[in-house]
PDB file of all heavy atoms in Angstrom:
ATOM      1  N   ALA P   4       2.402  20.644   7.342  1.00 79.00           N
ATOM      2  CA  ALA P   4       3.002  19.816   8.386  1.00 79.00           C
ATOM      3  C   ALA P   4       3.474  18.490   7.791  1.00 79.00           C
ATOM      4  O   ALA P   4       2.862  17.949   6.868  1.00 79.00           O
ATOM      5  CB  ALA P   4       1.978  19.568   9.476  1.00 79.00           C
ATOM      6  N   ASP P  26       0.836   0.324   6.654  1.00 98.00           N
ATOM      7  CA  ASP P  26       0.042   0.979   5.612  1.00 98.00           C
ATOM      8  C   ASP P  26      -0.040   0.043   4.409  1.00 98.00           C
ATOM      9  O   ASP P  26       0.791  -0.859   4.233  1.00 98.00           O
ATOM     10  CB  ASP P  26       0.681   2.319   5.205  1.00 98.00           C
ATOM     11  CG  ASP P  26      -0.289   3.229   4.454  1.00 98.00           C
ATOM     12  OD1 ASP P  26      -1.485   2.890   4.362  1.00 98.00           O
ATOM     13  OD2 ASP P  26       0.151   4.264   3.943  1.00 98.00           O
ATOM     14  N   ARG P  30      -5.262  -0.445  -3.345  1.00 97.00           N
ATOM     15  CA  ARG P  30      -6.702  -0.734  -3.226  1.00 97.00           C
ATOM     16  C   ARG P  30      -7.442  -0.322  -4.489  1.00 97.00           C
ATOM     17  O   ARG P  30      -8.459  -0.935  -4.836  1.00 97.00           O
ATOM     18  CB  ARG P  30      -7.305  -0.007  -2.016  1.00 97.00           C
ATOM     19  CG  ARG P  30      -6.861  -0.615  -0.692  1.00 97.00           C
ATOM     20  CD  ARG P  30      -7.468   0.098   0.495  1.00 97.00           C
ATOM     21  NE  ARG P  30      -8.910  -0.058   0.587  1.00 97.00           N
ATOM     22  CZ  ARG P  30      -9.620   0.149   1.699  1.00 97.00           C
ATOM     23  NH1 ARG P  30      -9.017   0.518   2.805  1.00 97.00           N
ATOM     24  NH2 ARG P  30     -10.945   0.002   1.702  1.00 97.00           N
ATOM     25  N   LEU P  33      -6.997  -1.869 -10.992  1.00 98.00           N
ATOM     26  CA  LEU P  33      -7.846  -2.891 -11.578  1.00 98.00           C
ATOM     27  C   LEU P  33      -7.127  -4.225 -11.687  1.00 98.00           C
ATOM     28  O   LEU P  33      -7.765  -5.244 -11.996  1.00 98.00           O
ATOM     29  CB  LEU P  33      -8.280  -2.468 -12.986  1.00 98.00           C
ATOM     30  CG  LEU P  33      -9.004  -1.122 -13.131  1.00 98.00           C
ATOM     31  CD1 LEU P  33      -9.417  -0.889 -14.587  1.00 98.00           C
ATOM     32  CD2 LEU P  33     -10.213  -1.086 -12.212  1.00 98.00           C
ATOM     33  N   ARG P  51      15.862  11.139   6.975  1.00 95.00           N
ATOM     34  CA  ARG P  51      15.190  12.419   6.813  1.00 95.00           C
ATOM     35  C   ARG P  51      14.373  12.427   5.528  1.00 95.00           C
ATOM     36  O   ARG P  51      14.717  11.799   4.543  1.00 95.00           O
ATOM     37  CB  ARG P  51      16.213  13.561   6.781  1.00 95.00           C
ATOM     38  CG  ARG P  51      16.939  13.768   8.106  1.00 95.00           C
ATOM     39  CD  ARG P  51      17.838  14.969   8.029  1.00 95.00           C
ATOM     40  NE  ARG P  51      18.513  15.219   9.313  1.00 95.00           N
ATOM     41  CZ  ARG P  51      19.350  16.231   9.526  1.00 95.00           C
ATOM     42  NH1 ARG P  51      19.583  17.122   8.552  1.00 95.00           N
ATOM     43  NH2 ARG P  51      19.913  16.375  10.709  1.00 95.00           N
ATOM     44  N   SER P  56       3.831   8.590   0.888  1.00 96.00           N
ATOM     45  CA  SER P  56       4.448   8.186  -0.383  1.00 96.00           C
ATOM     46  C   SER P  56       3.839   8.881  -1.569  1.00 96.00           C
ATOM     47  O   SER P  56       4.522   9.096  -2.572  1.00 96.00           O
ATOM     48  CB  SER P  56       4.340   6.652  -0.535  1.00 96.00           C
ATOM     49  OG  SER P  56       2.981   6.253  -0.632  1.00 96.00           O
ATOM     50  N   LYS P  58       3.132  11.860  -1.886  1.00 95.00           N
ATOM     51  CA  LYS P  58       3.678  13.209  -2.027  1.00 95.00           C
ATOM     52  C   LYS P  58       5.097  13.217  -2.566  1.00 95.00           C
ATOM     53  O   LYS P  58       5.672  14.291  -2.798  1.00 95.00           O
ATOM     54  CB  LYS P  58       3.641  13.952  -0.677  1.00 95.00           C
ATOM     55  CG  LYS P  58       2.244  14.131  -0.113  1.00 95.00           C
ATOM     56  CD  LYS P  58       2.285  14.832   1.229  1.00 95.00           C
ATOM     57  CE  LYS P  58       0.926  15.019   1.834  1.00 95.00           C
ATOM     58  NZ  LYS P  58       0.989  15.675   3.160  1.00 95.00           N
ATOM     59  N   ALA P  75      15.772  -0.116   9.521  1.00 98.00           N
ATOM     60  CA  ALA P  75      14.570  -0.419  10.303  1.00 98.00           C
ATOM     61  C   ALA P  75      14.251  -1.897  10.292  1.00 98.00           C
ATOM     62  O   ALA P  75      14.778  -2.683   9.463  1.00 98.00           O
ATOM     63  CB  ALA P  75      13.404   0.388   9.760  1.00 98.00           C
ATOM     64  N   GLU P  86      -7.484 -13.683  -3.529  1.00 98.00           N
ATOM     65  CA  GLU P  86      -7.944 -13.324  -2.176  1.00 98.00           C
ATOM     66  C   GLU P  86      -8.804 -12.070  -2.194  1.00 98.00           C
ATOM     67  O   GLU P  86      -9.752 -11.943  -1.418  1.00 98.00           O
ATOM     68  CB  GLU P  86      -6.750 -13.159  -1.238  1.00 98.00           C
ATOM     69  CG  GLU P  86      -6.099 -14.505  -0.911  1.00 98.00           C
ATOM     70  CD  GLU P  86      -4.771 -14.383  -0.185  1.00 98.00           C
ATOM     71  OE1 GLU P  86      -4.015 -13.402  -0.465  1.00 98.00           O
ATOM     72  OE2 GLU P  86      -4.491 -15.241   0.672  1.00 98.00           O
ATOM     73  N   GLY P 135      -2.899   8.738   8.458  1.00 96.00           N
ATOM     74  CA  GLY P 135      -1.720   8.462   9.253  1.00 96.00           C
ATOM     75  C   GLY P 135      -0.420   8.606   8.511  1.00 96.00           C
ATOM     76  O   GLY P 135       0.620   8.928   9.112  1.00 96.00           O
ATOM     77  N   LEU P 140       5.598   9.148  11.390  1.00 98.00           N
ATOM     78  CA  LEU P 140       6.773   8.769  10.631  1.00 98.00           C
ATOM     79  C   LEU P 140       6.840   7.253  10.361  1.00 98.00           C
ATOM     80  O   LEU P 140       7.274   6.825   9.289  1.00 98.00           O
ATOM     81  CB  LEU P 140       8.028   9.206  11.380  1.00 98.00           C
ATOM     82  CG  LEU P 140       8.431  10.673  11.251  1.00 98.00           C
ATOM     83  CD1 LEU P 140       9.638  10.992  12.134  1.00 98.00           C
ATOM     84  CD2 LEU P 140       8.740  11.015   9.797  1.00 98.00           C
ATOM     85  N   TRP P 169       1.280  -1.521 -17.311  1.00 98.00           N
ATOM     86  CA  TRP P 169       1.417  -1.634 -15.845  1.00 98.00           C
ATOM     87  C   TRP P 169       2.733  -1.087 -15.311  1.00 98.00           C
ATOM     88  O   TRP P 169       2.807  -0.725 -14.143  1.00 98.00           O
ATOM     89  CB  TRP P 169       1.272  -3.103 -15.410  1.00 98.00           C
ATOM     90  CG  TRP P 169      -0.098  -3.633 -15.591  1.00 98.00           C
ATOM     91  CD1 TRP P 169      -1.254  -2.931 -15.850  1.00 98.00           C
ATOM     92  CD2 TRP P 169      -0.478  -5.023 -15.584  1.00 98.00           C
ATOM     93  NE1 TRP P 169      -2.321  -3.797 -15.958  1.00 98.00           N
ATOM     94  CE2 TRP P 169      -1.886  -5.069 -15.802  1.00 98.00           C
ATOM     95  CE3 TRP P 169       0.214  -6.207 -15.384  1.00 98.00           C
ATOM     96  CZ2 TRP P 169      -2.585  -6.276 -15.850  1.00 98.00           C
ATOM     97  CZ3 TRP P 169      -0.479  -7.411 -15.427  1.00 98.00           C
ATOM     98  CH2 TRP P 169      -1.859  -7.438 -15.636  1.00 98.00           C
ATOM     99  N   TYR P 175      -3.520   0.892 -12.164  1.00 97.00           N
ATOM    100  CA  TYR P 175      -4.606   1.842 -11.938  1.00 97.00           C
ATOM    101  C   TYR P 175      -5.386   2.061 -13.246  1.00 97.00           C
ATOM    102  O   TYR P 175      -4.843   1.884 -14.343  1.00 97.00           O
ATOM    103  CB  TYR P 175      -4.086   3.150 -11.366  1.00 97.00           C
ATOM    104  CG  TYR P 175      -3.742   3.061  -9.909  1.00 97.00           C
ATOM    105  CD1 TYR P 175      -2.466   2.626  -9.479  1.00 97.00           C
ATOM    106  CD2 TYR P 175      -4.698   3.370  -8.942  1.00 97.00           C
ATOM    107  CE1 TYR P 175      -2.176   2.506  -8.124  1.00 97.00           C
ATOM    108  CE2 TYR P 175      -4.389   3.255  -7.575  1.00 97.00           C
ATOM    109  CZ  TYR P 175      -3.144   2.839  -7.185  1.00 97.00           C
ATOM    110  OH  TYR P 175      -2.850   2.708  -5.858  1.00 97.00           O
ATOM    111  N   ARG P 194      -8.786  -7.793 -11.520  1.00 97.00           N
ATOM    112  CA  ARG P 194      -9.741  -7.983 -10.421  1.00 97.00           C
ATOM    113  C   ARG P 194     -11.141  -7.974 -10.999  1.00 97.00           C
ATOM    114  O   ARG P 194     -11.824  -6.941 -11.063  1.00 97.00           O
ATOM    115  CB  ARG P 194      -9.574  -6.874  -9.376  1.00 97.00           C
ATOM    116  CG  ARG P 194      -8.147  -6.815  -8.801  1.00 97.00           C
ATOM    117  CD  ARG P 194      -7.976  -5.588  -7.922  1.00 97.00           C
ATOM    118  NE  ARG P 194      -6.646  -5.495  -7.335  1.00 97.00           N
ATOM    119  CZ  ARG P 194      -6.206  -4.495  -6.573  1.00 97.00           C
ATOM    120  NH1 ARG P 194      -7.042  -3.516  -6.274  1.00 97.00           N
ATOM    121  NH2 ARG P 194      -4.973  -4.497  -6.109  1.00 97.00           N
TER     122      ARG P 194
END
Side-chain angles (χ1 to χ4, degrees):
D26 197 7
R30 288 180 66 162
L33 303 182
R51 293 185 178 181
S56 64
K58 298 179 181 178
E86 288 170 326
L140 281 176
W169 291 346
Y175 283 88
R194 302 173 180 177

